[in-house]
Amino acid sequence: MQVLVAGIIALALTGTTLRAFVEGTPDVATAATVFCGVFVQALPFLALGVVISGLIAVFVTPERLARWLPRRRGVAILAAGVGGAALPGCECGSVPVARRLFGDGGVVGAAALTFMLAAPAINPVVLVATAVAFPGHPQLVAARCAASLLTALIMGMLWARFGRPEWITRRLPKPHHGEGSRWSVFTEAARHDFLSAASYLVVGAAAAAALHVLVPPWVYEHLAGQLVLGVLIMAVLAVVLALCSEADAFVAASLTMLPLLPRLVFLVVGPAVDIKLFAMQAGMFGRAFAVRFAPATFVVATLVASAVGLLILGPQ
């Protein structure tokens, strides 16, 4: 809070000078326009997402989710994947919920991991945000939903077949029931999710602005003609930027110089695996789990998004 107040005061004192500098420097003005456009467009969806995630923290406990999932492994994986669409929230909130489900003896780990990948990628807030960010491209929304769901189901089945319980080296602390009112739980969850997601949104918007200004136009022209290279670069970029799934569509939409297929890969890979998710998974499940699950998820998400994109969008 002290840093925020100091920053606001500093900007207020230097506002006139900074505005003159931005107006007098075309590249900086372009970058500022892109940054503001991405951030302002994404902010309402981000706010809606954290409000819903706060409500989930209050009313939808992991224990209740565990009771809702079927006991049969295959049905549980499918139910967890489809059920992720009904629980809006960003990937930061799905990791601890999945860990709690994983630790319950009545719920198979494969279903918990499927839910972890599906919930932040195919929920209504993310799909509506994608539709707003890409007006006139409903096929992209359908492709994102299908590719993300398929990625989650495949990873759940892979864990059911090849996963090992000994890879889970972190144990959950015992829950402390009755601590705080529902309002305090809601406000704390919403505040945490908003500050975490907004910080990554700022980084993503700044990266999108920098890509518009610093990267020469011929690079994008080359990527547009090299579909495989564009897909790989956007997949890696999704891992590095670590955007919130409720705001990544606006960053992808700002990269108008790239075809839809690489941008679809960006939207599918990002909510499934990135730097912050790797750190969270290592902290919640253990490093032995993260170093196996994250690379496998990256490969599956990239291949599935490319295949679905070619099928629905074509090589555009």
Side-chain angles (χ1 to χ4, degrees), residues 5 20 33 37 40 48 54 70 80 101 148 166-167 171 179 187 189 198 208 220 256 281 285 290 312:
V5 172
T33 302
V40 171
L48 176 61
L101 290 173
S148 297
E166 56 267 23
W167 295 344
R171 296 293 175 256
E179 293 187 355
T187 54
Y220 294 111
T256 55
Q281 290 170 7
F285 292 89
I312 297 179

Short mmCIF file of all heavy atoms in Angstrom, two decimals, residues 5 20 33 37 40 48 54 70 80 101 148 166-167 171 179 187 189 198 208 220 256 281 285 290 312:
data_model
loop_
_atom_site.label_atom_id
_atom_site.label_comp_id
_atom_site.label_asym_id
_atom_site.label_seq_id
_atom_site.Cartn_x
_atom_site.Cartn_y
_atom_site.Cartn_z
N VAL A 5 0.73 4.24 -2.83
CA VAL A 5 0.50 5.65 -2.51
C VAL A 5 1.66 6.50 -3.01
O VAL A 5 1.46 7.58 -3.61
CB VAL A 5 0.29 5.82 -0.99
CG1 VAL A 5 0.25 7.31 -0.63
CG2 VAL A 5 -0.99 5.15 -0.55
N ALA A 20 3.75 15.37 -21.69
CA ALA A 20 4.46 16.03 -22.79
C ALA A 20 5.45 15.07 -23.46
O ALA A 20 5.59 15.05 -24.68
CB ALA A 20 5.19 17.26 -22.27
N THR A 33 -1.01 3.82 -25.90
CA THR A 33 -2.36 3.56 -26.42
C THR A 33 -2.70 2.07 -26.38
O THR A 33 -3.79 1.68 -25.95
CB THR A 33 -2.49 4.09 -27.86
OG1 THR A 33 -2.20 5.49 -27.87
CG2 THR A 33 -3.90 3.85 -28.39
N GLY A 37 -5.51 0.39 -23.97
CA GLY A 37 -6.60 -0.33 -24.62
C GLY A 37 -6.74 -1.74 -24.09
O GLY A 37 -7.85 -2.20 -23.78
N VAL A 40 -7.83 -1.53 -20.12
CA VAL A 40 -9.19 -1.06 -19.86
C VAL A 40 -10.22 -2.06 -20.37
O VAL A 40 -11.26 -2.28 -19.73
CB VAL A 40 -9.40 0.33 -20.51
CG1 VAL A 40 -10.86 0.75 -20.45
CG2 VAL A 40 -8.54 1.37 -19.81
N LEU A 48 -15.11 -8.99 -12.61
CA LEU A 48 -16.19 -9.97 -12.51
C LEU A 48 -15.66 -11.34 -12.09
O LEU A 48 -16.26 -12.03 -11.25
CB LEU A 48 -16.92 -10.07 -13.85
CG LEU A 48 -18.04 -11.13 -13.94
CD1 LEU A 48 -19.14 -10.85 -12.92
CD2 LEU A 48 -18.61 -11.18 -15.35
N GLY A 54 -14.41 -15.13 -5.37
CA GLY A 54 -14.64 -14.91 -3.96
C GLY A 54 -15.88 -15.61 -3.46
O GLY A 54 -15.90 -16.18 -2.36
N PRO A 70 -18.39 -38.01 -9.45
CA PRO A 70 -18.66 -39.46 -9.43
C PRO A 70 -17.44 -40.24 -8.95
O PRO A 70 -16.31 -39.77 -8.99
CB PRO A 70 -18.96 -39.78 -10.91
CG PRO A 70 -19.29 -38.47 -11.53
CD PRO A 70 -18.50 -37.44 -10.80
N ALA A 80 -15.41 -33.70 -14.19
CA ALA A 80 -14.55 -32.62 -13.72
C ALA A 80 -14.23 -31.64 -14.84
O ALA A 80 -14.19 -30.43 -14.64
CB ALA A 80 -13.26 -33.19 -13.14
N LEU A 101 -8.86 -31.34 -3.61
CA LEU A 101 -9.60 -32.48 -4.16
C LEU A 101 -8.69 -33.69 -4.31
O LEU A 101 -9.08 -34.83 -4.04
CB LEU A 101 -10.19 -32.12 -5.52
CG LEU A 101 -11.35 -31.10 -5.52
CD1 LEU A 101 -11.69 -30.73 -6.95
CD2 LEU A 101 -12.55 -31.66 -4.80
N SER A 148 -9.20 -26.39 -25.11
CA SER A 148 -8.88 -26.36 -23.69
C SER A 148 -9.50 -27.54 -22.96
O SER A 148 -8.86 -28.18 -22.11
CB SER A 148 -9.36 -25.04 -23.06
OG SER A 148 -8.69 -23.94 -23.64
N GLU A 166 3.68 -41.13 -5.41
CA GLU A 166 4.90 -40.69 -4.74
C GLU A 166 5.44 -39.38 -5.30
O GLU A 166 6.33 -38.77 -4.69
CB GLU A 166 5.98 -41.77 -4.81
CG GLU A 166 6.34 -42.22 -6.21
CD GLU A 166 5.54 -43.43 -6.67
OE1 GLU A 166 4.44 -43.66 -6.12
OE2 GLU A 166 6.02 -44.14 -7.57
N TRP A 167 4.94 -38.95 -6.47
CA TRP A 167 5.36 -37.65 -7.00
C TRP A 167 4.77 -36.50 -6.20
O TRP A 167 5.26 -35.38 -6.30
CB TRP A 167 4.95 -37.53 -8.47
CG TRP A 167 5.66 -38.50 -9.38
CD1 TRP A 167 6.78 -39.22 -9.09
CD2 TRP A 167 5.28 -38.87 -10.71
NE1 TRP A 167 7.13 -40.01 -10.16
CE2 TRP A 167 6.24 -39.82 -11.18
CE3 TRP A 167 4.25 -38.49 -11.56
CZ2 TRP A 167 6.16 -40.37 -12.45
CZ3 TRP A 167 4.18 -39.04 -12.83
CH2 TRP A 167 5.13 -39.98 -13.27
N ARG A 171 2.35 -32.01 1.49
CA ARG A 171 1.14 -32.39 2.19
C ARG A 171 0.38 -31.16 2.63
O ARG A 171 0.97 -30.14 2.99
CB ARG A 171 1.50 -33.24 3.43
CG ARG A 171 2.15 -34.57 3.05
CD ARG A 171 1.16 -35.48 2.33
NE ARG A 171 1.81 -36.71 1.86
CZ ARG A 171 2.13 -36.94 0.62
NH1 ARG A 171 1.88 -36.01 -0.30
NH2 ARG A 171 2.69 -38.07 0.25
N GLU A 179 -12.91 -19.94 11.07
CA GLU A 179 -12.08 -18.75 11.19
C GLU A 179 -12.60 -17.67 10.25
O GLU A 179 -12.45 -17.74 9.05
CB GLU A 179 -10.62 -19.09 10.85
CG GLU A 179 -9.97 -20.02 11.86
CD GLU A 179 -8.49 -20.18 11.58
OE1 GLU A 179 -8.03 -19.64 10.56
OE2 GLU A 179 -7.82 -20.86 12.36
N THR A 187 -13.98 -11.23 0.91
CA THR A 187 -13.14 -10.07 0.61
C THR A 187 -11.67 -10.46 0.50
O THR A 187 -10.95 -9.94 -0.36
CB THR A 187 -13.31 -8.99 1.69
OG1 THR A 187 -13.07 -9.57 2.99
CG2 THR A 187 -14.72 -8.42 1.65
N ALA A 189 -10.41 -13.46 -0.38
CA ALA A 189 -10.20 -14.21 -1.61
C ALA A 189 -10.25 -13.30 -2.83
O ALA A 189 -9.42 -13.40 -3.74
CB ALA A 189 -11.26 -15.31 -1.73
N ALA A 198 -4.35 -8.84 -11.55
CA ALA A 198 -4.12 -7.52 -12.13
C ALA A 198 -2.64 -7.26 -12.36
O ALA A 198 -2.26 -6.61 -13.35
CB ALA A 198 -4.72 -6.44 -11.24
N ALA A 208 2.53 -6.55 -24.55
CA ALA A 208 1.86 -6.34 -25.84
C ALA A 208 2.23 -4.99 -26.43
O ALA A 208 2.46 -4.87 -27.65
CB ALA A 208 0.34 -6.44 -25.65
N TYR A 220 6.95 -9.86 -37.87
CA TYR A 220 5.58 -10.38 -37.89
C TYR A 220 5.20 -10.90 -39.27
O TYR A 220 4.46 -11.88 -39.38
CB TYR A 220 4.61 -9.28 -37.44
CG TYR A 220 4.79 -8.87 -36.00
CD1 TYR A 220 5.29 -7.61 -35.69
CD2 TYR A 220 4.48 -9.73 -34.96
CE1 TYR A 220 5.46 -7.22 -34.37
CE2 TYR A 220 4.65 -9.35 -33.65
CZ TYR A 220 5.14 -8.10 -33.35
OH TYR A 220 5.31 -7.72 -32.06
N THR A 256 -2.64 -8.13 -33.78
CA THR A 256 -3.39 -8.28 -35.03
C THR A 256 -2.50 -8.65 -36.21
O THR A 256 -3.02 -9.06 -37.26
CB THR A 256 -4.12 -6.96 -35.35
OG1 THR A 256 -3.17 -5.89 -35.36
CG2 THR A 256 -5.17 -6.67 -34.29
N GLN A 281 2.17 -25.05 -8.65
CA GLN A 281 2.08 -26.51 -8.61
C GLN A 281 3.22 -27.12 -7.81
O GLN A 281 3.02 -28.10 -7.07
CB GLN A 281 2.07 -27.06 -10.04
CG GLN A 281 0.80 -26.75 -10.80
CD GLN A 281 0.90 -27.10 -12.27
OE1 GLN A 281 1.88 -27.70 -12.71
NE2 GLN A 281 -0.11 -26.73 -13.05
N PHE A 285 1.86 -29.24 -4.87
CA PHE A 285 1.98 -30.68 -5.10
C PHE A 285 3.39 -31.21 -4.85
O PHE A 285 3.55 -32.37 -4.51
CB PHE A 285 1.59 -31.02 -6.55
CG PHE A 285 0.14 -30.82 -6.86
CD1 PHE A 285 -0.35 -29.61 -7.31
CD2 PHE A 285 -0.76 -31.87 -6.69
CE1 PHE A 285 -1.69 -29.43 -7.61
CE2 PHE A 285 -2.11 -31.71 -6.99
CZ PHE A 285 -2.57 -30.49 -7.44
N ALA A 290 5.61 -31.19 -10.45
CA ALA A 290 5.61 -30.05 -11.37
C ALA A 290 6.53 -30.28 -12.55
O ALA A 290 6.19 -29.92 -13.69
CB ALA A 290 6.00 -28.78 -10.61
N ILE A 312 -10.89 -26.08 -37.17
CA ILE A 312 -11.98 -25.09 -37.07
C ILE A 312 -11.64 -23.79 -37.78
O ILE A 312 -12.47 -23.20 -38.49
CB ILE A 312 -12.32 -24.82 -35.59
CG1 ILE A 312 -12.83 -26.11 -34.92
CG2 ILE A 312 -13.36 -23.71 -35.45
CD1 ILE A 312 -13.17 -25.95 -33.46
#
